[in-house]
Amino acid sequence: FLPFKFEKSNRISLPEDAEVICITGKLNSFKTKAEATTILTSLGFKVSDNVTKQTTYLVDEENKNSSKRKKADEYGITIVTNLLDFINKVKND
């Protein structure tokens, strides 16, 4: 008898080497971050709330000097200023 109840998750399991993308600020190309996250996940990205050294891209459509933007610049992370263009490029590659 286990004291835990296990349920099936609807989460998609991504490979350990999936590229990590973080979104900061408001998006101009999507209504919500959740909508953008769903599309990015379907393309194989791992969406994170934090910028770390493992982060591959930072989405910053507002181009404000946020703490996430400063950290991304410090780590040499690629900044995406138009998420829709980025997604279209990924789909076509």
Side-chain angles (χ1 to χ4, degrees):
F1 170 72
L2 292 173
F4 304 105
K5 183 178 178 185
F6 292 96
E7 293 182 9
K8 254 189 175 175
S9 173
N10 290 338
R11 298 194 86 183
I12 299 167
S13 62
L14 297 171
E16 287 298 315
D17 62 347
E19 291 186 298
V20 179
I21 193 163
C22 178
I23 302 171
T24 187
K26 288 185 179 181
L27 293 175
N28 300 320
S29 51
F30 288 90
K31 288 182 182 178
T32 65
K33 287 183 184 180
E35 182 183 8
T37 297
T38 300
I39 291 170
L40 289 166
T41 303
S42 75
L43 292 172
F45 289 95
K46 180 180 177 188
V47 181
S48 172
D49 291 330
N50 302 308
V51 173
T52 67
K53 289 182 180 178
Q54 285 72 42
T55 304
T56 314
Y57 301 99
L58 175 70
V59 177
D60 183 9
E61 291 189 339
E62 288 185 309
N63 204 13
K64 292 189 175 177
N65 231 354
S66 69
S67 60
K68 288 181 183 178
R69 176 67 181 252
K70 289 176 187 172
K71 194 180 263 191
D73 287 338
E74 182 183 319
Y75 292 152
I77 295 167
T78 303
I79 308 298
V80 175
T81 56
N82 186 313
L83 186 54
L84 201 52
D85 286 349
F86 175 79
I87 288 170
N88 286 330
K89 184 177 183 291
V90 169
K91 283 182 177 179
N92 292 324
D93 280 353

